[in-house]
Amino acid sequence: MANNIFLVLIAILCLLPLIHIAAVSFSSNAAASAGAVKLWPVEFSLKSYQYVAGREEFWRAMLVSIQRIAIGTPLTLLLISLVAYPLSKESSAFSFRGVYTWLFFLTMLFNGGFIPWYITLKEYGLLDSIWALVLPNAVPVFSLVLLLNFFRAVPKELEEAAVMDGAGHWRTLWAIYIPISKPALATLALFSMVEHWNSWFDGLILMNNPIHYPLQSYIQTIVVQRDFGEMTQDQILILSQISDRTLKSAQIFLGSLPIIAAYPFLQKYFVKGIVLGSVKG
């Protein structure tokens, strides 16, 4: 009972900031500027959402972010699975396993710098394309290490049985390791989705044309620098009636909704992952 109460309190503490952001976004300019909004909207208003959602650029940026996740997350899961499988073997089965493992691990400690990174993407012709947002982080080493350790925990007897039945490495990976690793892959998929969804800096740097901005990059531009020349008279009128605080809150709330909506579908895999490594009686 005490554990349940404790977990409920933790859940409430996690939800309070989001509830506050939502309340501010639905409040009037005066109430938000005066700091009168706590956990419930004051002088209910939808003007911030009218401004954000009334622009075609917002929905175009939303589509780019969805496209980025739809391509980037499956690609990441595919690549880290292909890399983690051989690296999870013993040195007797893969002689250079330690060398390759350290090569990947060193990238977590050192990198070539921002300018070489940009020049490399430019020389490959990736600028101003969706691949510039997907390929540079297609193999996150942290996720690779997690999956590698998960593969190492798979009982060797399962692989030996598959080999005895004539399965090769490809069949063993797709028929044994991948199905068993669904909880780990679901967790890593959520990590990848959150990273792609929240990334904004790479969009600003790698996209020359604003129509290719992902959602977070677009939100950053309208918060930091507003281009009144591209606004209609109605949008300028709405903007004059809202504050930066309500506008930013509306953008944060809208930007959080897709991840919040995706989380319940992956929750069951987290629950399985908690007990997957436990001792079975």
Side-chain angles (χ1 to χ4, degrees):
M1 184 63 179
N3 287 338
N4 292 335
I5 295 176
F6 176 75
L7 292 175
V8 169
L9 292 176
I10 293 297
I12 292 175
L13 290 176
C14 293
L15 288 174
L16 285 180
L18 183 62
I19 295 174
H20 174 70
I21 290 295
V24 172
S25 69
F26 286 110
S27 299
S28 67
N29 181 7
S33 300
V37 184
K38 302 302 181 184
L39 299 177
W40 193 258
V42 177
E43 300 175 2
F44 185 84
S45 174
L46 292 175
K47 291 179 179 179
S48 295
Y49 290 95
Q50 291 175 358
Y51 170 75
V52 174
R55 304 197 68 184
E56 179 184 351
E57 293 87 348
F58 175 83
W59 298 108
R60 185 167 55 222
M62 174 79 77
L63 183 61
V64 173
S65 288
I66 293 175
Q67 182 183 8
R68 177 177 184 173
I69 289 178
I71 297 175
T73 299
L75 180 63
T76 292
L77 295 181
L78 173 63
L79 293 179
I80 64 175
S81 298
L82 294 177
V83 175
Y85 175 75
L87 295 182
S88 66
K89 303 302 179 185
E90 300 294 336
S91 298
S92 57
F94 184 19
S95 302
F96 297 98
R97 176 183 64 86
V99 175
Y100 285 105
T101 301
W102 274 104
L103 287 176
F104 280 102
F105 179 73
L106 287 175
T107 62
M108 298 179 66
L109 306 177
F110 308 99
N111 61 74
F114 174 76
I115 295 178
W117 171 76
Y118 180 84
I119 293 176
T120 299
L121 295 177
K122 180 180 179 181
E123 292 300 320
Y124 277 103
L126 298 178
L127 297 184
D128 230 23
S129 70
I130 189 65
W131 297 109
L133 305 176
V134 171
L135 292 181
N137 296 318
V139 184
V141 180
F142 178 75
S143 298
L144 172 62
V145 172
L146 292 179
L147 188 61
L148 188 156
N149 290 327
F150 195 93
F151 279 176
R152 286 179 178 174
V154 174
K156 299 300 180 184
E157 292 78 8
L158 293 177
E159 183 175 358
E160 292 173 356
V163 172
M164 291 180 63
D165 289 339
H169 287 297
W170 282 102
R171 182 68 181 274
T172 302
L173 172 62
W174 298 113
I176 303 296
Y177 280 79
I178 297 300
I180 289 179
S181 304
K182 284 182 179 180
L185 292 173
T187 303
L188 299 179
L190 184 61
F191 288 168
S192 178
M193 291 168 58
V194 171
E195 180 181 359
H196 280 300
W197 188 262
N198 290 336
S199 296
W200 60 271
F201 183 72
D202 55 353
L204 293 178
I205 298 299
L206 302 177
M207 300 294 111
N208 297 320
N209 194 329
I211 67 173
H212 297 142
Y213 282 167
L215 181 60
Q216 302 303 329
S217 300
Y218 166 75
I219 289 176
Q220 176 70 11
T221 59
I222 63 176
V223 169
V224 176
Q225 51 182 14
R226 295 171 179 164
D227 188 356
F228 292 96
E230 296 183 359
M231 296 182 186
T232 64
Q233 292 296 326
D234 292 337
Q235 290 172 341
I236 294 177
L237 179 61
I238 293 175
L239 186 59
S240 66
Q241 299 173 350
I242 59 179
S243 67
D244 281 345
R245 191 175 180 188
T246 58
L247 178 60
K248 292 176 182 178
S249 297
Q251 293 162 354
I252 293 172
F253 186 68
L254 288 175
S256 303
L257 282 180
I259 296 299
I260 296 174
Y263 183 82
F265 296 99
L266 300 174
Q267 174 65 23
K268 61 179 181 179
Y269 293 109
F270 295 148
V271 174
K272 290 180 181 179
I274 292 175
V275 299
L276 191 63
S278 60
V279 177
K280 308 299 189 296

